[in-house]
Amino acid sequence: MFWLRHHTPEEWHRCYTFGPFRVCARCLGVYPTLCAALVALFVLKAPLAHPWDLEVVLALTLPATIDWAIGRFKPHAFSNPWRTFTGVLLGLGLARSLFIHLQRPFPAVLLAQFALVTAVALPVILVTYRRSRRG
């Protein structure tokens, strides 16, 4: 349950509450969508390559990545339904790149997706780490 319940009490506003359980709003969109879309891609025998794969996967990945980055500096900037929606988009993007990767390891689309997330996340992590050490 760590993937769905990873927030500390000061971040519980980013979670839905189901009885005694708190579930990450974004992860609730990512993981079920990722699993369902990945199964669908295999069942439907989706093509391994499409001319728009790179653009579509990056476009699906970007909203959750940007939302996460903004949320590190402005924790209450977006709502949980928005986080879930961006999680669904991310789940679709991850499903497509993972589908290709499982058949042809380390395709360009997966590497570009990794580079995009790293390019956004790494500076944010470094800045927030510096702030926490100062403060």
Side-chain angles (χ1 to χ4, degrees):
M1 284 295 286
F2 174 78
W3 287 349
L4 298 177
R5 296 181 56 185
H6 55 88
H7 290 290
T8 59
E10 55 272 0
E11 294 179 322
W12 281 354
H13 64 278
R14 297 170 193 234
C15 300
Y16 294 113
T17 302
F18 299 102
F21 301 105
R22 287 186 172 79
V23 179
C24 173
R26 184 171 297 107
C27 292
L28 191 60
V30 172
Y31 292 109
T33 303
L34 170 60
C35 292
L38 191 57
V39 167
L41 288 166
F42 276 106
V43 168
L44 298 173
K45 297 180 179 16
L48 273 180
H50 187 278
W52 290 74
D53 273 336
L54 182 63
E55 292 85 355
V56 169
V57 165
L58 294 181
L60 290 169
T61 303
L62 194 58
T65 307
I66 296 298
D67 176 42
W68 172 85
I70 292 170
R72 296 292 98 199
F73 301 108
K74 296 180 179 182
H76 297 280
F78 299 102
S79 67
N80 282 342
W82 175 255
R83 290 181 188 100
T84 302
F85 174 69
T86 63
V88 167
L89 298 178
L90 179 59
L92 291 170
L94 290 170
R96 181 61 186 164
S97 62
L98 184 58
F99 172 75
I100 299 166
H101 170 69
L102 290 172
Q103 297 172 78
R104 294 189 184 147
F106 302 105
V109 67
L110 178 73
L111 298 175
Q113 188 178 40
F114 176 77
L116 170 66
V117 171
T118 302
V120 172
L122 188 59
V124 171
I125 291 168
L126 292 173
V127 167
T128 55
Y129 177 74
R130 275 186 156 176
R131 285 183 178 179
S132 71
R133 296 221 24 187
R134 285 187 204 154

